[in-house]
């Protein structure tokens, strides 16, 4: 199994190492049909994409597509910034972007003090001190994801439960209900074997993404092959392999704006 499109790659516009053209050239070299450039969201203090650079990024994506002959989409890996499920995208950003990825990250501006205290500080403390995360915090984290999926046309939730633990099954069920994909990241292990099984019990569909921060990792499947020895990933529900392509919720949403 091999992916045909990598929907999650970073460039020097956030903290990736290569340019848009370099990412696209590598994708072409390894036989992908296309690639999405998805740098970190605007609310990231240090690494975030800047709105004033979006036009330049779009031009570079168009040039890279022309030079390589593959599709080069401009997306974003937005941050969920609080319990209400707000992200750092405004509706006025939508017309300039093709793909809407969303995840929870450290180092971002949060919606409220409560969100700062829980989403960043409490999660950090439990993970850092390797203590069991209390149910009340898991419930809060789950609400953060669910409200984001309900309230925003998110295409893909990135690396669910990496450093921030939610109820994976409830989040996956919400993704299934709203047509949002769950990412299988090949950058890092983000769900346990048990959580994957719970997720498979819902009707959610998947995309496999590299989350590459350098060109050598674009389209990388190594971690997936490793995980797939013990976890029986349902190939039919992975929509960027073989000749399958995902139906992107963001694209559908924008048709009705
Ligand atoms: Zn991320
Ligand atoms: Zn990423």
């Amino acid at each position: 199994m091999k992916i045909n499109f990598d929907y999650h790659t970073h460039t020097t516009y956030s903290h990736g190492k290569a340019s848009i053209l370099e990412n696209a050239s590598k994708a072409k070299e390894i036989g992908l049909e296309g690639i999405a450039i998805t740098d970190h969201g605007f609310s990231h203090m240090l690494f975030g994409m800047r709105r004033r650079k979006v036009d330049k990024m779009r031009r570079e994506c168009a040039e890279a597509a022309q030079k390589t002959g593959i599709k080069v989409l401009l997306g974003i890996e937005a941050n969920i910034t609080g319990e209400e499920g707000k992200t750092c995208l405004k509706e006025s950003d939508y017309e300039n972007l093709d793909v809407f990825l969303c995840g929870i990250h450290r180092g971002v501006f949060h919606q409220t003090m409560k969100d700062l205290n829980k989403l960043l500080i409490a999660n950090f403390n439990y993970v850092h001190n390797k203590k069991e995360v209390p149910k009340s915090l898991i419930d809060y984290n789950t609400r953060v994801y669910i409200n984001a999926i309900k309230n925003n046309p998110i295409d893909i939730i990135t690396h669910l439960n990496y450093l921030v633990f939610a109820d994976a099954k409830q989040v996956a069920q919400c993704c299934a209900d709203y047509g949002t994909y769950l990412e299988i990241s090949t950058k890092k292990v983000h769900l346990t074997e048990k959580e994957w099984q719970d997720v498979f019990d819902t009707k959610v569909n998947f995309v496999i993404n590299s989350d590459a921060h350098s060109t050598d990792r674009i389209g990388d499947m190594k971690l997936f092959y490793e995980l797939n020895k013990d976890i029986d990933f349902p190939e039919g529900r992975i929509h960027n392999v073989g000749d399958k392509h995902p139906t992107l919720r963001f694209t559908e949403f924008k048709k009705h704006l």
Side-chain angles (χ1 to χ4, degrees), residues 8 10 40 77 105 158-159 188 211:
H8 186 172
H10 293 270
H40 286 288
E77 185 181 14
H105 297 89
T158 60
H159 48 67
K188 47 210 178 191
D211 195 0

Side-chain angles (χ1 to χ4, degrees), residues 21-22 24-25 28 60-70 72:
L21 178 59
E22 284 167 333
S25 301
K28 163 79 177 177
E60 287 183 30
C61 285
E63 282 164 20
Q66 202 167 31
K67 281 188 180 148
T68 59
I70 66 166
V72 183

Side-chain angles (χ1 to χ4, degrees), residues 157-173:
I157 290 289
T158 60
H159 48 67
L160 175 64
N161 279 13
Y162 179 70
L163 301 179
V164 171
F165 303 112
D167 182 320
K169 188 169 187 173
Q170 283 189 48
V171 176
Q173 185 58 55

Side-chain angles (χ1 to χ4, degrees), residues 240-257:
N240 63 334
V241 296
D243 56 5
K244 292 194 292 291
H245 296 90
T247 304
L248 295 174
R249 177 183 171 195
F250 187 49
T251 308
E252 295 300 310
F253 179 89
K254 287 200 295 177
K255 284 180 190 164
H256 302 110
L257 276 184

